Amino acid sequence: MMNQLIEFSINHWEMVAVFLAILATLLFVESKGGAQGLTPSAATNLMNSEDAVVVDIRPEKEFSTGHITGALNIPATKMKDNLNRLEKHKDAPIIIVCKSGVTSGPSAKDLKKAGFGKVYKLQGGIAEWQSSNLPLVKG
């Protein structure tokens, strides 16, 4: 198995180099002032142990089809205008939730810039939450 990997790496060094460059870029972008990602189980623990506030940044229509219990809906496009809604939760952990975990980064950065100290992103978003068989509420 290891020999095949080495042989592949030698024969396709360009592909390996591109993969490593993409991986390095991804790790750099994720670590640069961004929020830490949480698995659904880690998010659940934080909600139970530290009363973390869940902020769902999906559009209202998507939010109403199913969201995490107690989540606030502040669409990503309106985040900066709605920071006052989160002011009373400034000392609590905040978990940003989107559809698939891809678009939560900029909203998390906005919150960090606004002085929120404990900002996290739900890895995989609502899709990952659902595939972990965790409950969603509608309405």
Side-chain angles (χ1 to χ4, degrees), residues 18-32:
V18 169
F19 170 75
L20 291 174
I22 291 170
L23 182 65
T25 304
L26 183 66
L27 292 172
F28 175 74
V29 168
E30 281 296 310
S31 67
K32 190 174 146 249

Side-chain angles (χ1 to χ4, degrees), residues 43-83:
T44 304
N45 289 342
L46 199 59
M47 289 157 61
N48 292 334
S49 65
E50 294 187 47
D51 290 328
V53 178
V54 177
V55 178
D56 194 317
I57 61 167
R58 295 176 300 151
E60 217 172 295
K61 222 177 204 176
E62 281 182 46
F63 180 79
S64 63
T65 62
H67 57 270
I68 297 169
T69 306
L72 299 172
N73 183 218
I74 303 176
T77 53
K78 300 174 182 165
M79 182 60 76
K80 286 183 178 163
D81 300 332
N82 282 280
L83 288 175

Side-chain angles (χ1 to χ4, degrees), residues 56 58 65-69 126-127 129-130 134-138:
D56 194 317
R58 295 176 300 151
T65 62
H67 57 270
I68 297 169
T69 306
I126 286 292
W129 184 269
Q130 282 181 292
L134 292 163
L136 292 177
V137 292
K138 293 183 190 262

